[in-house]
Amino acid sequence: MGFKKMKLDTSGFETSMPTIGFGSSNDMLDGFSTVPSFDLPRTTDFDGFQKEAVQMVKPAKGTTTLAFIFKEGVMVAADSRASMGGYISSQSVKKIIEINPYMLGTMAGGAADCQFWHRNLGIKCRLHELANKRRISVSGASKLLANMLYSYRGMGLSVGTMIAGWDETGPGLYYVDNEGGRLKGDRFSVGSGSPYAYGVLDSGYKFDMSVEEASELARRSIYHATFRDGASGGVASVYHVGPNGWKKLSGDDVGELHYHYYPVETATAEQVMEEAAAE
Amino acid sequence: MSIFEYNGSAVVAMVGKNCFAIASDRRLGVQLQTIATDFQRISKIHDHLFIGLSGVATDVQTLYQRLVFRHKLYQLREERDMKPETFACLVSAILYEKRFGPYLCQPVIAGLGEDDKPFICTMDSIGAKELAKDFVVSGTASESLYGACEAMYKPDLEADELFETISQALLSSVDRDCLSGWGGHVYVVTPNEIKERILKGRMD
């Protein structure tokens, strides 16, 4: 079975780089300066095959991630469960991806898609830094990712991510998805558990919170989402992005968090003794 | 997701030394959303006979009500309790009556028969009986339950050890299933007493 190579034309999206040394085919940079190309299988029914492949990845976005901007920066939190339909395939997935020391990305949707494209984004950000001698802005990084995903629109990628970081203009938060959508905002939650997280997040949110209050709000929102949503669970990780970069604040097992928030009251023995006396 | 995965459930029964244990999870959900964490899936038919039903929650409740009704009539006519083997045949017949529009549940029946010999069996949704000497499982977490029971089960366990074994098997299995869990409910039945316990499990 043979394969045909397909290269997507993204000349409109390439960053402006000096041509010296880049004109010749340089193996190390070739794959990164343009959009990665993928082999396509030669089948009789390519569209049908694509549809099936899309459906295979479909039971996705079973997760809860959230991020919000407040006085002291950006708070990012996520659960750690990976589910395939009803089966829990892992309770310890890293859904907060460290793109570089001052920018975080969250993962919702297909794990492979999110991991690959965030890593690719990290590479592009580093190249930008080297080429322009300054860090890329959160706005720029999210735009790079959004443009990349737009060029793969309709091909079945499943990515619902938030890019959070701190640049020269202060804290930045963008939502980017596989449709190529990119939204700037102050509060986002993505995934099947997001309605439950929004309920807690929106009612407890104040711009003037301290880091401790904000991290507790984020943790509680993730906990409530894991309680109600079957596809979310595991460990609630909370990260804070400040002017000096991101820092992981906590990673609490939500099974234990439940009994921390709602301790079990042991039944009193007196009730049993009363019944015996009445006989 | 299939209709059997609509509400989510996990039921398991195990045989011990002159005793049996039957356990279930406590979640009631609508696909991925959790609605309740105290749903009764195991019901008592008489002091030495319990039935646990997994599957669609409305059929679980209706089928239980129908079975209690039939057993009460039997008690009035025969002036005694039904034997577990007889009850299993009754459940099988009631399920097969609806062969072309079935109750969407899979029962697990556990009881103490003659000479207090423990009896367990499970059925599919149209009444195919499956008797076992060691353990039976049912529900969305059934594959995990099979593995856990196979690994943890030992024959002739006393009531307390049986309780530990069935609880560990249930909790470790539902921790691998998105649709069941949120606590556990265990009944351990010996000829003289019924011990009902609620398990503290992961609530995610």
Side-chain angles (χ1 to χ4, degrees):
Chain A
M1 190 208 237
F3 288 88
K4 47 183 196 263
K5 234 181 161 60
M6 181 176 134
K7 227 171 159 73
L8 290 165
D9 173 39
T10 54
S11 45
F13 304 132
E14 277 174 45
T15 52
S16 53
M17 285 190 191
T19 50
I20 304 164
F22 283 47
S24 55
S25 90
N26 187 337
D27 272 328
M28 212 171 78
L29 286 168
D30 239 359
F32 306 139
S33 58
T34 54
V35 169
S37 68
F38 294 96
D39 293 333
L40 291 178
R42 181 168 288 161
T43 60
T44 43
D45 176 23
F46 182 68
D47 280 328
F49 176 77
Q50 278 284 68
K51 279 203 178 73
E52 266 187 64
V54 169
Q55 286 311 313
M56 191 200 82
V57 206
K58 249 306 148 89
K61 302 215 175 133
T63 188
T64 310
T65 59
L66 60 86
F68 57 89
I69 294 180
F70 68 114
K71 188 180 62 166
E72 307 272 1
V74 196
M75 200 57 82
V76 184
D79 75 313
S80 70
R81 176 175 287 187
S83 50
M84 295 182 334
Y87 180 69
I88 298 175
S89 40
S90 172
Q91 289 269 61
S92 50
V93 177
K94 268 193 76 170
K95 294 194 188 177
I96 297 182
I97 299 162
E98 295 142 9
I99 299 171
N100 57 45
Y102 56 96
M103 222 186 304
L104 293 173
T106 60
M107 182 203 294
D113 288 335
C114 288
Q115 281 173 3
F116 179 86
W117 290 110
H118 277 125
R119 188 106 169 127
N120 191 274
L121 178 65
I123 292 167
K124 284 188 117 77
C125 290
R126 180 70 183 137
L127 287 173
H128 176 102
E129 250 182 70
L130 292 169
N132 301 83
K133 280 205 175 146
R134 49 185 261 171
R135 283 181 179 171
I136 192 170
S137 63
V138 183
S139 170
S142 59
K143 193 84 174 186
L144 280 175
L145 182 64
N147 289 339
M148 193 83 66
L149 294 175
Y150 181 78
S151 67
Y152 284 93
R153 218 172 117 96
M155 293 195 155
L157 287 184
S158 178
V159 172
T161 183
M162 294 178 285
I163 307 292
W166 189 295
D167 57 29
E168 280 151 10
T169 61
L173 179 62
Y174 285 82
Y175 164 76
V176 178
D177 69 19
N178 53 274
E179 307 282 303
R182 173 174 165 266
L183 296 172
K184 182 171 157 63
D186 290 335
R187 287 206 293 277
F188 287 112
S189 177
V190 182
S192 57
S194 61
Y196 314 111
Y198 271 129
V200 179
L201 180 59
D202 288 342
S203 50
Y205 178 82
K206 287 193 295 287
F207 183 77
D208 298 309
M209 280 189 287
S210 67
V211 175
E212 289 79 35
E213 287 172 338
S215 79
E216 182 55 28
L217 178 65
R219 191 175 312 120
R220 204 148 190 155
S221 308
I222 295 289
Y223 156 73
H224 277 283
T226 62
F227 182 76
R228 283 289 171 184
D229 180 31
S232 304
V235 169
S237 311
V238 181
Y239 283 66
H240 172 240
V241 188
N244 300 321
W246 57 259
K247 182 165 181 268
K248 180 163 181 177
L249 295 180
S250 64
D252 298 292
D253 183 293
V254 297
E256 285 158 30
L257 267 185
H258 172 83
Y259 295 106
H260 171 69
Y261 291 138
Y262 304 104
V264 177
E265 279 146 31
T266 44
T268 48
E270 291 131 50
Q271 289 171 345
V272 176
M273 284 159 76
E274 268 179 54
E275 282 177 56
E279 277 171 10
Chain B
M1 286 194 206
S2 86
I3 183 63
F4 286 104
E5 294 168 15
Y6 185 69
N7 291 128
S9 50
V11 183
V12 55
M14 278 189 183
V15 163
K17 202 173 168 74
N18 296 331
C19 64
F20 69 85
I22 183 167
S24 77
D25 73 318
R26 305 189 78 205
R27 178 183 182 266
L28 174 71
V30 169
Q31 292 183 326
L32 287 174
Q33 182 181 56
T34 305
I35 306 291
T37 57
D38 57 0
F39 187 67
Q40 263 292 65
R41 227 161 238 125
I42 299 175
S43 320
K44 192 171 88 159
I45 302 291
H46 63 73
D47 274 344
H48 290 162
L49 182 57
F50 281 74
I51 181 165
L53 291 151
S54 69
V56 177
T58 175
D59 282 350
V60 163
Q61 291 178 331
T62 304
L63 188 60
Y64 166 65
Q65 286 160 8
R66 294 234 157 129
L67 291 169
V68 159
F69 166 69
R70 294 293 293 266
H71 183 255
K72 283 187 174 163
L73 278 180
Y74 182 92
Q75 274 180 325
L76 288 170
R77 289 189 188 125
E78 300 265 327
E79 291 175 2
R80 66 181 177 91
D81 288 332
M82 240 194 219
K83 283 200 278 233
E85 294 84 357
T86 318
F87 184 70
C89 290
L90 172 68
V91 178
S92 175
I94 287 178
L95 290 175
Y96 199 81
E97 265 172 22
K98 300 273 184 215
R99 169 66 174 81
F100 299 109
Y103 288 110
L104 299 161
C105 21
Q106 283 128 344
V108 163
I109 296 162
L112 288 175
E114 248 167 291
D115 302 323
D116 293 331
K117 191 166 173 303
F119 168 88
I120 52 171
C121 88
T122 185
M123 267 168 237
D124 69 359
S125 55
I126 45 175
K129 253 189 303 192
E130 188 215 306
L131 306 171
K133 293 201 174 73
D134 40 16
F135 56 83
V136 289
V137 306
S138 162
T140 49
S142 58
E143 279 147 0
S144 296
L145 277 166
Y146 272 125
C149 291
E150 197 68 61
M152 299 187 196
Y153 180 79
K154 283 200 291 285
D156 288 330
L157 288 169
E158 294 294 340
D160 286 329
E161 282 178 311
L162 188 64
F163 164 68
E164 280 300 325
T165 308
I166 201 174
S167 306
Q168 292 296 348
L170 179 71
L171 287 178
S172 57
S173 306
V174 301
D175 282 347
R176 274 289 174 183
D177 182 23
C178 299
L179 304 169
S180 55
W182 277 257
H185 208 145
V186 187
Y187 290 83
V188 181
V189 180
T190 56
N192 305 319
E193 64 167 0
I194 303 169
K195 262 218 176 93
E196 179 188 344
R197 292 184 185 90
I198 309 270
L199 295 176
K200 205 171 116 160
R202 286 183 68 93
M203 304 295 256
D204 66 351

